Amino acid sequence: MATTYSPKKLPCLALLALAAAAAALLVTPCAAQNDPQDYVDPHNAARNDVGVGPVTWDDTVAAYAASYAAQRQGDCALQHSGGPYGENIFWGSTGKDWSAADAVASWVSEKQWYDHDSNSCSAPDGNSCGHYTQVVWRDSTAIGCARVVCDNGGGVFITCNYNPPGNVIGQSPY
């Protein structure tokens, strides 16, 4: 049997539904942007800038990244996993809700030190540009990334893994 509503009760039901939806919005926490697309988009913007094709999200690579990030959650040490993929890692100190975009922007900022003509890096302060070259490595077409808040109150740890790995000695990224 179908339920019918009188015209007088319909506006009340609509207002109740609207109130419930508004209440749900108020209690939904706002999180920093850290969905797969939040990692893929800035990678692809950097790659597009140098004429390299896009990367796509890979759930297997992402599972590896998530597993490693979970291992680092206790200390957030900037230590590479030594795994089968290319890897960029990022640590952001407490006081800011570091996001996917922050990590990728940090890696891409190394572009200023990369000389494509000589395929070399010349950072005046001794920093490398290997994070940047991994982001734009032509043959690395699948990524998976993860973010954890450090247990020790020491900030945020973010890792992105790349398949196949880049930064092959003697080869140019693009």
PDB file of all heavy atoms in Angstrom, residues 23-41:
ATOM      1  N   ALA A  23      22.211  19.276   9.330  1.00  0.00           N
ATOM      2  CA  ALA A  23      22.848  18.774  10.546  1.00  0.00           C
ATOM      3  C   ALA A  23      23.966  17.798  10.198  1.00  0.00           C
ATOM      4  O   ALA A  23      25.032  17.810  10.827  1.00  0.00           O
ATOM      5  CB  ALA A  23      21.817  18.106  11.449  1.00  0.00           C
ATOM      6  N   ALA A  24      23.741  16.967   9.211  1.00  0.00           N
ATOM      7  CA  ALA A  24      24.766  16.008   8.804  1.00  0.00           C
ATOM      8  C   ALA A  24      26.010  16.733   8.303  1.00  0.00           C
ATOM      9  O   ALA A  24      27.141  16.309   8.563  1.00  0.00           O
ATOM     10  CB  ALA A  24      24.236  15.066   7.734  1.00  0.00           C
ATOM     11  N   LEU A  25      25.819  17.839   7.585  1.00  0.00           N
ATOM     12  CA  LEU A  25      26.957  18.609   7.095  1.00  0.00           C
ATOM     13  C   LEU A  25      27.751  19.224   8.234  1.00  0.00           C
ATOM     14  O   LEU A  25      28.965  19.335   8.178  1.00  0.00           O
ATOM     15  CB  LEU A  25      26.489  19.709   6.136  1.00  0.00           C
ATOM     16  CG  LEU A  25      26.049  19.243   4.761  1.00  0.00           C
ATOM     17  CD1 LEU A  25      25.479  20.418   3.968  1.00  0.00           C
ATOM     18  CD2 LEU A  25      27.194  18.617   4.012  1.00  0.00           C
ATOM     19  N   LEU A  26      27.055  19.635   9.293  1.00  0.00           N
ATOM     20  CA  LEU A  26      27.723  20.270  10.408  1.00  0.00           C
ATOM     21  C   LEU A  26      28.596  19.297  11.194  1.00  0.00           C
ATOM     22  O   LEU A  26      29.596  19.687  11.779  1.00  0.00           O
ATOM     23  CB  LEU A  26      26.694  20.911  11.347  1.00  0.00           C
ATOM     24  CG  LEU A  26      25.974  22.135  10.777  1.00  0.00           C
ATOM     25  CD1 LEU A  26      24.899  22.604  11.744  1.00  0.00           C
ATOM     26  CD2 LEU A  26      26.957  23.259  10.506  1.00  0.00           C
ATOM     27  N   VAL A  27      28.236  18.036  11.228  1.00  0.00           N
ATOM     28  CA  VAL A  27      29.017  17.077  12.002  1.00  0.00           C
ATOM     29  C   VAL A  27      30.005  16.296  11.144  1.00  0.00           C
ATOM     30  O   VAL A  27      30.774  15.524  11.662  1.00  0.00           O
ATOM     31  CB  VAL A  27      28.108  16.082  12.771  1.00  0.00           C
ATOM     32  CG1 VAL A  27      27.255  16.817  13.767  1.00  0.00           C
ATOM     33  CG2 VAL A  27      27.260  15.259  11.836  1.00  0.00           C
ATOM     34  N   THR A  28      29.998  16.510   9.829  1.00  0.00           N
ATOM     35  CA  THR A  28      30.955  15.834   8.960  1.00  0.00           C
ATOM     36  C   THR A  28      32.281  16.565   9.057  1.00  0.00           C
ATOM     37  O   THR A  28      32.347  17.764   8.792  1.00  0.00           O
ATOM     38  CB  THR A  28      30.457  15.838   7.498  1.00  0.00           C
ATOM     39  OG1 THR A  28      29.194  15.203   7.466  1.00  0.00           O
ATOM     40  CG2 THR A  28      31.433  15.118   6.594  1.00  0.00           C
ATOM     41  N   PRO A  29      33.354  15.876   9.472  1.00  0.00           N
ATOM     42  CA  PRO A  29      34.637  16.567   9.594  1.00  0.00           C
ATOM     43  C   PRO A  29      35.198  16.939   8.228  1.00  0.00           C
ATOM     44  O   PRO A  29      35.008  16.226   7.261  1.00  0.00           O
ATOM     45  CB  PRO A  29      35.530  15.532  10.287  1.00  0.00           C
ATOM     46  CG  PRO A  29      34.905  14.220   9.959  1.00  0.00           C
ATOM     47  CD  PRO A  29      33.434  14.476   9.794  1.00  0.00           C
ATOM     48  N   CYS A  30      35.886  18.061   8.179  1.00  0.00           N
ATOM     49  CA  CYS A  30      36.557  18.478   6.955  1.00  0.00           C
ATOM     50  C   CYS A  30      37.995  17.981   7.029  1.00  0.00           C
ATOM     51  O   CYS A  30      38.695  18.272   7.988  1.00  0.00           O
ATOM     52  CB  CYS A  30      36.529  19.998   6.819  1.00  0.00           C
ATOM     53  SG  CYS A  30      34.875  20.640   6.593  1.00  0.00           S
ATOM     54  N   ALA A  31      38.423  17.251   6.049  1.00  0.00           N
ATOM     55  CA  ALA A  31      39.780  16.713   6.036  1.00  0.00           C
ATOM     56  C   ALA A  31      40.574  17.372   4.926  1.00  0.00           C
ATOM     57  O   ALA A  31      40.011  17.861   3.958  1.00  0.00           O
ATOM     58  CB  ALA A  31      39.733  15.203   5.813  1.00  0.00           C
ATOM     59  N   ALA A  32      41.889  17.370   5.099  1.00  0.00           N
ATOM     60  CA  ALA A  32      42.755  17.863   4.029  1.00  0.00           C
ATOM     61  C   ALA A  32      42.534  16.978   2.808  1.00  0.00           C
ATOM     62  O   ALA A  32      42.138  15.827   2.923  1.00  0.00           O
ATOM     63  CB  ALA A  32      44.207  17.795   4.474  1.00  0.00           C
ATOM     64  N   GLN A  33      42.794  17.510   1.667  1.00  0.00           N
ATOM     65  CA  GLN A  33      42.582  16.744   0.449  1.00  0.00           C
ATOM     66  C   GLN A  33      43.693  15.726   0.279  1.00  0.00           C
ATOM     67  O   GLN A  33      44.845  16.090   0.086  1.00  0.00           O
ATOM     68  CB  GLN A  33      42.522  17.682  -0.744  1.00  0.00           C
ATOM     69  CG  GLN A  33      41.320  18.591  -0.692  1.00  0.00           C
ATOM     70  CD  GLN A  33      41.210  19.436  -1.931  1.00  0.00           C
ATOM     71  OE1 GLN A  33      42.092  19.465  -2.767  1.00  0.00           O
ATOM     72  NE2 GLN A  33      40.103  20.125  -2.054  1.00  0.00           N
ATOM     73  N   ASN A  34      43.351  14.465   0.353  1.00  0.00           N
ATOM     74  CA  ASN A  34      44.326  13.393   0.239  1.00  0.00           C
ATOM     75  C   ASN A  34      43.756  12.171  -0.457  1.00  0.00           C
ATOM     76  O   ASN A  34      44.142  11.057  -0.176  1.00  0.00           O
ATOM     77  CB  ASN A  34      44.863  13.028   1.629  1.00  0.00           C
ATOM     78  CG  ASN A  34      45.616  14.186   2.246  1.00  0.00           C
ATOM     79  OD1 ASN A  34      46.669  14.571   1.776  1.00  0.00           O
ATOM     80  ND2 ASN A  34      45.037  14.774   3.276  1.00  0.00           N
ATOM     81  N   ASP A  35      42.813  12.391  -1.346  1.00  0.00           N
ATOM     82  CA  ASP A  35      42.244  11.311  -2.145  1.00  0.00           C
ATOM     83  C   ASP A  35      43.198  11.007  -3.298  1.00  0.00           C
ATOM     84  O   ASP A  35      44.066  11.824  -3.622  1.00  0.00           O
ATOM     85  CB  ASP A  35      40.882  11.724  -2.705  1.00  0.00           C
ATOM     86  CG  ASP A  35      39.823  11.858  -1.621  1.00  0.00           C
ATOM     87  OD1 ASP A  35      39.922  11.134  -0.606  1.00  0.00           O
ATOM     88  OD2 ASP A  35      38.912  12.680  -1.789  1.00  0.00           O
ATOM     89  N   PRO A  36      43.040   9.849  -3.941  1.00  0.00           N
ATOM     90  CA  PRO A  36      43.941   9.515  -5.056  1.00  0.00           C
ATOM     91  C   PRO A  36      44.094  10.641  -6.080  1.00  0.00           C
ATOM     92  O   PRO A  36      45.219  10.956  -6.495  1.00  0.00           O
ATOM     93  CB  PRO A  36      43.292   8.276  -5.666  1.00  0.00           C
ATOM     94  CG  PRO A  36      42.646   7.601  -4.498  1.00  0.00           C
ATOM     95  CD  PRO A  36      42.121   8.743  -3.652  1.00  0.00           C
ATOM     96  N   GLN A  37      43.003  11.263  -6.457  1.00  0.00           N
ATOM     97  CA  GLN A  37      43.088  12.310  -7.481  1.00  0.00           C
ATOM     98  C   GLN A  37      43.893  13.509  -6.997  1.00  0.00           C
ATOM     99  O   GLN A  37      44.492  14.225  -7.803  1.00  0.00           O
ATOM    100  CB  GLN A  37      41.681  12.735  -7.913  1.00  0.00           C
ATOM    101  CG  GLN A  37      41.625  13.252  -9.328  1.00  0.00           C
ATOM    102  CD  GLN A  37      42.069  12.228 -10.363  1.00  0.00           C
ATOM    103  OE1 GLN A  37      41.736  11.055 -10.296  1.00  0.00           O
ATOM    104  NE2 GLN A  37      42.854  12.651 -11.331  1.00  0.00           N
ATOM    105  N   ASP A  38      43.944  13.716  -5.668  1.00  0.00           N
ATOM    106  CA  ASP A  38      44.716  14.824  -5.113  1.00  0.00           C
ATOM    107  C   ASP A  38      46.216  14.600  -5.252  1.00  0.00           C
ATOM    108  O   ASP A  38      47.002  15.541  -5.152  1.00  0.00           O
ATOM    109  CB  ASP A  38      44.348  15.042  -3.641  1.00  0.00           C
ATOM    110  CG  ASP A  38      42.890  15.425  -3.479  1.00  0.00           C
ATOM    111  OD1 ASP A  38      42.376  16.217  -4.292  1.00  0.00           O
ATOM    112  OD2 ASP A  38      42.251  14.907  -2.538  1.00  0.00           O
ATOM    113  N   TYR A  39      46.620  13.360  -5.458  1.00  0.00           N
ATOM    114  CA  TYR A  39      48.017  13.041  -5.754  1.00  0.00           C
ATOM    115  C   TYR A  39      48.253  13.024  -7.267  1.00  0.00           C
ATOM    116  O   TYR A  39      49.261  13.521  -7.754  1.00  0.00           O
ATOM    117  CB  TYR A  39      48.398  11.670  -5.184  1.00  0.00           C
ATOM    118  CG  TYR A  39      48.447  11.619  -3.680  1.00  0.00           C
ATOM    119  CD1 TYR A  39      47.363  11.149  -2.944  1.00  0.00           C
ATOM    120  CD2 TYR A  39      49.583  12.037  -2.990  1.00  0.00           C
ATOM    121  CE1 TYR A  39      47.416  11.092  -1.561  1.00  0.00           C
ATOM    122  CE2 TYR A  39      49.642  11.986  -1.605  1.00  0.00           C
ATOM    123  CZ  TYR A  39      48.553  11.511  -0.896  1.00  0.00           C
ATOM    124  OH  TYR A  39      48.603  11.462   0.475  1.00  0.00           O
ATOM    125  N   VAL A  40      47.324  12.444  -7.989  1.00  0.00           N
ATOM    126  CA  VAL A  40      47.477  12.281  -9.441  1.00  0.00           C
ATOM    127  C   VAL A  40      47.505  13.635 -10.150  1.00  0.00           C
ATOM    128  O   VAL A  40      48.362  13.873 -11.018  1.00  0.00           O
ATOM    129  CB  VAL A  40      46.350  11.380 -10.002  1.00  0.00           C
ATOM    130  CG1 VAL A  40      46.334  11.400 -11.524  1.00  0.00           C
ATOM    131  CG2 VAL A  40      46.501   9.945  -9.489  1.00  0.00           C
ATOM    132  N   ASP A  41      46.605  14.527  -9.808  1.00  0.00           N
ATOM    133  CA  ASP A  41      46.508  15.808 -10.528  1.00  0.00           C
ATOM    134  C   ASP A  41      47.797  16.637 -10.497  1.00  0.00           C
ATOM    135  O   ASP A  41      48.257  17.088 -11.554  1.00  0.00           O
ATOM    136  CB  ASP A  41      45.320  16.624 -10.019  1.00  0.00           C
ATOM    137  CG  ASP A  41      43.982  16.046 -10.443  1.00  0.00           C
ATOM    138  OD1 ASP A  41      43.940  15.170 -11.342  1.00  0.00           O
ATOM    139  OD2 ASP A  41      42.948  16.467  -9.870  1.00  0.00           O
TER     140      ASP A  41
END
